[in-house]
Structure formats: structure tokens, C-alpha cells
């Protein structure tokens, strides 16, 4: 934990994503891409109950981010926030109770916790990242990123805690078994962020976060050890990040610092 924030990664990867960000007495679930049963169990694994959650925020409508949402939302009646384009294209919208579906405002504020969203290039209707601020601390959630924009740089600046995509090693992806079209999609400007790109973004920050969680790692085109080695190597080459703790998340919610 850095500052006011606690990060609980329940699942991260192409088979499903869900993370709880806790601050100011509030627990916010970002995405619900695993089953309701898995969500409940993994919440309990980190000392939380579904009833402890205050809201769900969606980054975009791809299935690995919303698969468990209909059942989880119906069972626990949580407000679910997303932008208009995401609501328009979400595949399970008809399965959601209308009363739980909310438009994400420019600023979502409750008991000192402030949340804003920002645009992220990805091949979905309107993918976003999130900025959380509480008691002077800043946490940024950023995955499913095609490339680093000026808007992204502005929003990650000053982060004390950063959840950052490190999806693939470029050489592993190019030499791997994925079809050519899928490789091009992942490498494209609306695809996913590589280990090198994640390290580069960190190296460009004026002040590095105290904690970085490398997220959304590919199980076929990356390894936790390689993601950490690549990112840390970029920082070490510039003599940066000695005080930054870097953790690697996984599909089965284990967070490691090798």
C-alpha cells in the first residue's frame, strides 16, 4: 500500500480482469471479467465481502472485463458506472438491471475519494483508464493500451500507485503461435502495451510511483519474470526507480515481486 490506497488484484489477463481499489473507506471494483463465483471467492481471499464494495467501474466492454457482471450485479445490486459508448456496446446489457446501470460522470466523488476517467486507445468503443485521488494521494489504473498518448502521460503524472499494462514481449509475440492478424492487432495502435512500452512510460515520468503493478500479462507471449526484468532494466539503465516497488499480477490473482 502506498499513501491512502490498497490494491487488490483479483484477476488480470486475457481470461478475465477484476481489481479492487480501496481508499477513504470505499472499495471500488474495476471490471468484472471473471465469474460471480470466482469474484466472491477472490474477494474473500483478500478479506472482503461483496457487500463491502461500493461500486463497479468498467474500463470497456470486452468480455474479459465484463463476463461476470450480469450475475454479480443482480446478486449484489451494486451501481455499475461506464461511459455511454461502453453501455451501448456491452454484450450483456440486456441481462443487467437497469437501476444498477449508471453513466460515469466527469467526476465521481464520495467521502473524500475522487474518481475521474481518461481516454485510452484500444479496439473497443471507448476504453478508459481511471484516476483516484484521496487525502493527497493519487492512484492510476491503466490497461488495454494501444500506445501512449499525451493524455495518458498527463493522467499518470504524479501517481503514487500505478496499475500498468505490460501485456507482451514483442519478440515472443512475433515468434509465437498467434495468427498473423491477431499479432498485428496486439502490436497495433489499438492493441496492447508491451513490456518495453510500459518501461518507457515509467522512465519518462518526472516522479516515479512508489508502487507499480504490472498487469494484463499475456500467458502465451510473456512471463512475469520477463515483464519485471524488462521494465526494471529500462529503469536501471537510467538510474531510476530504486525506491519503486514493482509487482507482477496474474490471472490467478497472485501478486509477486521477484
Amino acid at each position: 500500500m502506498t499513501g491512502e490506497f490498497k490494491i487488490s488484484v483479483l484477476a488480470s489477463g486475457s481470461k478475465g480482469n477484476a481489481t479492487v481499489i480501496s481508499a477513504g473507506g470505499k472499495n471500488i471494483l474495476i471490471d468484472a471479467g471473471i465469474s460471480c463465483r470466482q469474484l466472491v471467492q477472490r474477494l474473500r481471499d483478500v478479506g472482503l465481502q461483496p457487500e463491502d464494495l461500493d461500486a463497479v467501474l468498467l474500463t470497456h466492454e470486452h468480455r474479459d472485463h465484463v463476463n461476470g457482471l450480469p450475475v454479480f450485479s443482480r446478486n449484489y445490486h451494486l451501481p455499475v458506472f461506464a461511459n455511454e459508448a461502453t453501455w451501448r456496446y456491452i454484450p450483456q446489457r440486456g441481462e443487467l438491471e437497469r437501476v444498477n446501470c449508471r453513466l460515469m460522470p466527469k467526476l465521481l466523488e464520495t467521502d473524500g475519494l475522487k474518481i475521474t476517467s481518461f481516454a485510452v486507445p484500444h479496439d473497443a468503443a471507448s476504453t478508459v483508464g481511471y484516476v483516484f485521488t484521496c487525502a493527497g494521494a493519487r492512484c492510476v489504473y491503466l490497461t488495454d493500451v494501444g500506445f501512449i498518448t499525451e493524455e495518458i502521460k498527463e493522467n499518470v503524472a504524479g501517481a503514487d500507485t500505478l496499475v500498468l499494462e505490460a501485456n507482451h514481449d514483442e519478440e515472443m509475440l512475433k515468434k509465437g503461435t498467434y495468427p498473423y492478424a491477431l499479432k498485428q492487432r496486439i502490436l497495433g495502435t489499438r492493441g496492447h502495451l508491451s513490456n518495453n512500452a510500459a518501461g518507457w512510460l515509467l522512465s519518462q515520468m518526472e516522479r516515479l510511483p512508489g508502487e507499480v503493478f504490472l498487469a494484463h500479462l499475456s500467458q502465451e507471449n510473456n512471463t512475469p519474470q520477463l515483464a519485471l526484468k524488462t521494465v526494471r532494466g529500462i529503469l536501471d539503465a537510467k538510474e531510476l526507480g530504486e525506491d519503486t516497488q514493482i509487482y507482477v499480477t496474474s490471472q490467478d490473482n497472485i501478486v509477486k515481486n521477484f
Side-chain angles (χ1 to χ4, degrees):
M1 187 191 303
T2 296
E4 295 294 318
F5 290 96
K6 178 182 178 182
I7 310 299
S8 301
V9 179
L10 309 182
S12 185
S14 58
K15 294 182 180 178
N17 296 273
T19 296
V20 178
I21 296 183
S22 303
K26 301 296 182 181
N27 300 299
I28 309 298
L29 177 65
I30 300 183
D31 292 332
I34 55 179
S35 71
C36 179
R37 180 184 59 80
Q38 288 177 307
L39 275 171
V40 171
Q41 182 58 57
R42 294 185 186 189
L43 284 167
R44 290 173 178 164
D45 288 345
V46 298
L48 293 170
Q49 299 293 332
E51 293 81 5
D52 296 326
L53 298 177
D54 295 281
V56 182
L57 306 183
L58 302 181
T59 58
H60 62 296
E61 75 278 7
H62 286 169
R63 289 190 177 276
D64 58 322
H65 295 260
V66 300
N67 261 341
L69 183 63
V71 175
F72 190 74
S73 178
R74 285 199 302 271
N75 285 354
Y76 298 102
H77 310 291
L78 287 164
V80 182
F81 291 89
N83 59 41
E84 185 175 0
T86 297
W87 280 128
R88 189 180 307 127
Y89 287 97
I90 192 168
Q92 302 102 323
R93 183 174 181 179
E95 303 173 42
L96 295 167
E97 295 179 350
R98 190 177 183 86
V99 68
N100 297 327
C101 301
R102 314 284 177 84
L103 273 179
M104 181 67 190
K106 289 184 178 180
L107 172 64
L108 183 61
E109 184 172 7
T110 175
D111 295 338
L113 175 63
K114 299 179 180 180
I115 308 171
T116 58
S117 64
F118 59 95
V120 175
H122 187 56
D123 59 351
S126 183
T127 305
V128 297
Y130 287 103
V131 178
F132 297 75
T133 56
C134 184
R138 184 178 178 89
C139 172
V140 180
Y141 186 93
L142 176 64
T143 66
D144 297 76
V145 188
F147 70 101
I148 302 301
T149 64
E150 289 301 316
E151 184 175 1
I152 287 174
K153 291 180 188 177
E154 291 169 5
N155 279 279
V156 301
D160 300 288
T161 305
L162 175 59
V163 180
L164 175 63
E165 179 172 53
N167 176 259
H168 60 275
D169 174 81
E170 292 178 5
E171 287 306 308
M172 283 185 70
L173 175 60
K174 290 175 182 176
K175 295 176 181 177
T177 60
Y178 280 10
Y180 177 78
L182 180 56
K183 291 179 181 181
Q184 292 304 108
R185 171 192 169 252
I186 293 170
L187 291 167
T189 58
R190 289 170 59 82
H192 289 277
L193 211 63
S194 69
N195 297 337
N196 279 315
W200 178 86
L201 174 61
L202 290 170
S203 73
Q204 299 301 303
M205 295 178 68
E206 186 172 333
R207 177 174 69 82
L208 281 168
E211 288 183 328
V212 175
F213 294 80
L214 301 180
H216 214 304
L217 272 68
S218 169
Q219 291 181 294
E220 291 197 35
N221 303 304
N222 210 351
T223 68
Q225 293 87 349
L226 181 56
L228 182 59
K229 179 182 178 181
T230 302
V231 170
R232 182 60 79 182
I234 291 170
L235 296 180
D236 287 348
K238 295 194 174 186
E239 299 183 346
L240 297 171
E242 288 185 3
D243 298 325
T244 297
Q245 291 293 315
I246 302 179
Y247 303 94
V248 185
T249 71
S250 74
Q251 194 67 71
D252 57 6
N253 82 311
I254 297 172
V255 177
K256 296 181 179 179
N257 186 339
F258 295 94

